[in-house]
């Protein structure tokens, strides 16, 4: 995780099986909204799952959007970007879309954010899981501690995410917690 720290502004992960296709966008593997008018132009989900499973886990892979349970954000690249349930690709109609897609597109457009998929299974008992899990837990724990420090002890969970904000451009993160309340 740490060795890739300067290679991304948004870092997402793999899950087996991969199922978050609504948030996924890749120029060739899944370029269109899975519910939109151009959904038939996407490769089948089976082909995309196979592509994801064959990605080199030693590298980060460029995507236009992804989420899959958790993402880590460089907060300086989120400035001015907004979550929205609406989006479009150039030449497409405005349509209902996954909020992560619009947020990632806005981050890339406004702040040149680099969205990456690290094809490491984080949320399942797989080979290397314990080492990966422990490394991620340490990173997440430090993000939570920073949130408490930055917010004077009040980390806020909004829309099922604990958001960690900073103004110095250092790496911060977002962790899906499943709670939508203020934590004290």
């Amino acid at each position: 995780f740490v060795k890739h720290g300067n290679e991304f502004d948004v870092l997402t992960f793999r899950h087996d099986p991969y199922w978050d296709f609504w948030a996924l966008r890749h120029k060739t593997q899944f370029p269109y909204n899975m519910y939109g008018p151009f959904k038939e132009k996407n490769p089948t989900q089976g082909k995309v799952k196979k592509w994801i499973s064959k990605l080199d886990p030693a590298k980060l892979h460029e995507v236009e959007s992804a989420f899959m349970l958790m993402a880590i954000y460089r907060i300086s690249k989120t400035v001015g970007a907004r979550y929205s349930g609406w989006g479009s690709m150039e030449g497409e109609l405005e349509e209902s879309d996954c909020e992560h897609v619009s947020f990632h597109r806005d981050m890339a457009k406004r702040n040149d954010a680099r969205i990456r998929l690290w094809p490491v299974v984080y949320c399942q008992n797989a080979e290397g899981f314990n080492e990966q899990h422990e490394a991620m837990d340490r990173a997440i724990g430090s993000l939570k501690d920073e949130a408490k420090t930055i917010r004077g002890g009040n980390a806020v969970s909004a829309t099922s995410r604990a958001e960690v904000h900073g103004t110095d451009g250092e790496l911060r993160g977002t962790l899906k917690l499943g709670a939508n309340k203020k934590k004290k």
Side-chain angles (χ1 to χ4, degrees):
F1 172 74
V2 175
K3 72 180 180 180
H4 295 297
N6 292 322
E7 299 173 32
F8 68 90
D9 299 310
V10 178
L11 185 61
T12 67
F13 302 87
R14 179 178 157 227
H15 186 274
D16 192 16
Y18 194 92
W19 51 263
D20 198 0
F21 290 98
W22 201 24
L24 179 65
R25 294 296 190 286
H26 181 273
K27 289 178 184 176
T28 61
Q29 293 301 315
F30 212 77
Y32 300 101
N33 180 345
M34 69 182 286
Y35 299 114
F38 301 103
K39 63 187 174 193
E40 277 79 24
K41 293 183 178 184
N42 284 327
T44 65
Q45 291 181 11
K47 286 182 181 179
V48 176
K49 286 179 184 180
K50 191 173 187 175
W51 169 74
I52 290 171
S53 72
K54 291 183 176 186
L55 292 173
D56 182 353
K59 297 179 182 176
L60 303 183
H61 301 271
E62 183 176 354
V63 292
E64 293 172 341
S65 180
F67 192 75
M68 201 66 234
L69 300 173
M70 182 176 135
I72 299 174
Y73 292 88
R74 188 176 310 275
I75 293 303
S76 63
K77 297 294 184 168
T78 67
V79 174
R82 301 186 69 152
Y83 268 97
S84 169
W86 291 92
S88 66
M89 289 182 62
E90 204 166 312
E92 285 188 24
L93 302 172
E94 185 79 9
E95 63 185 4
S96 176
D97 204 349
C98 177
E99 74 279 12
H100 299 298
V101 173
S102 63
F103 186 56
H104 294 154
R105 283 186 180 148
D106 210 14
M107 288 176 64
K109 181 180 177 181
R110 293 174 185 267
N111 303 311
D112 297 316
R114 300 163 299 161
I115 296 99
R116 302 293 185 258
L117 170 63
W118 190 15
V120 170
V121 176
Y122 174 68
C123 297
Q124 184 175 330
N125 192 8
E127 185 177 331
F129 173 78
N130 289 336
E131 296 81 17
Q132 295 165 13
H133 190 271
E134 290 169 8
M136 290 304 298
D137 280 346
R138 284 192 300 276
I140 291 163
S142 69
L143 292 170
K144 285 179 172 178
D145 290 343
E146 287 182 64
K148 289 177 182 175
T149 302
I150 292 167
R151 297 254 173 117
N154 293 324
V156 176
S157 176
T159 318
S160 300
R161 287 178 185 80
E163 296 186 31
V164 185
H165 297 275
T167 57
D168 57 3
E170 287 189 23
L171 181 65
R172 301 293 192 264
T174 300
L175 171 64
K176 190 168 185 172
L177 295 176
N180 193 14
K181 59 185 179 181
K182 204 170 198 173
K183 294 187 172 195
K184 294 187 181 195

